[in-house]
Amino acid sequence: MPSRIEGKAAIVTGGARGLGEQVVRALAGEGCSVMIADLLEGPGQALADELGSRVVFARVDVTSEADWEDAVATAETTFGGLDILVNNAAIYRRQLLEEETVAELEKIMAVNLHGPFLGIKAVVPAMRERGGGSIVNVSSLAGATSYPAHGAYSMSKWALRGLTRTAAIELAPSGIRVNAVLPGNIRTEMSPTTASGEIPTGLKRQADPREVADAVVYLASDQSTFVNGTDLVADGGSLLG
């Protein structure tokens, strides 16, 4: 079977570690050229060096419009164009609403919501030149349900789903699809765990990051060309409880 994404070019934010790293590995493994856009220069460059010439690292602050412009320009120069954006970079923090501050809320919103917004704006012209593309926003199960001490984080992830749907409507005439992945509990540095390590419902375990990366790659690829403006929940069935 031919690769789903061979010959395409992608930017993956937060691609130096965790879920982002696995998305980079999965895309590159199927013949996609990838820019790792991250602030973690050491891990990001090491991953690029490991994966070979089709993968490059760029230091990108997703809250900076100028960094986004530079990243897209570099991707176009290096790869000859741009087909895929994975807005994965995020910060996670637990805090009760009564103890939350506006300053800390703004930090989370800047990365988790403003970053994807700036990324979408930055990549659209390049994708239009290619005749279309795919944008995948990594939301969260916390963007579909409620958890204690997740007020700011949930706000950012619920809002990202709204951004996803609006962008999907507006960009569809340009052949650009926009979808969201809503991961449940993933075994990464950022994700919380239960005391026993067991999730109480569904498959009753954390996801391996590669399992969620495969869902991202599906939405990025030509196997999902009629999927637009949707939420792909990858939670092992935990919402069923």
Side-chain angles (χ1 to χ4, degrees), residues 62-63 88-97 100-117 138 142 149-160 190:
V62 297
T63 69
N88 167 74
I91 55 177
Y92 171 82
R93 185 174 58 82
R94 299 182 67 174
Q95 185 66 276
L96 295 172
L97 286 174
E100 189 62 85
T101 67
V102 172
E104 291 300 321
L105 170 63
E106 289 178 343
K107 288 180 184 178
I108 286 181
M109 297 298 281
V111 175
N112 296 6
L113 181 62
H114 300 172
F117 164 73
V138 179
H150 279 66
Y153 183 75
S154 287
M155 287 169 65
S156 70
K157 294 302 189 177
W158 277 91
L160 183 56
M190 193 174 81

Side-chain angles (χ1 to χ4, degrees), residues 8 11 39 48 66 91 95 116 120 122-123 136 162 194 204 224 239:
K8 295 184 182 292
I11 294 176
L39 289 173
I91 55 177
Q95 185 66 276
I120 291 169
V123 304
V136 184
T194 60
K204 298 186 177 183
S224 60
L239 273 181

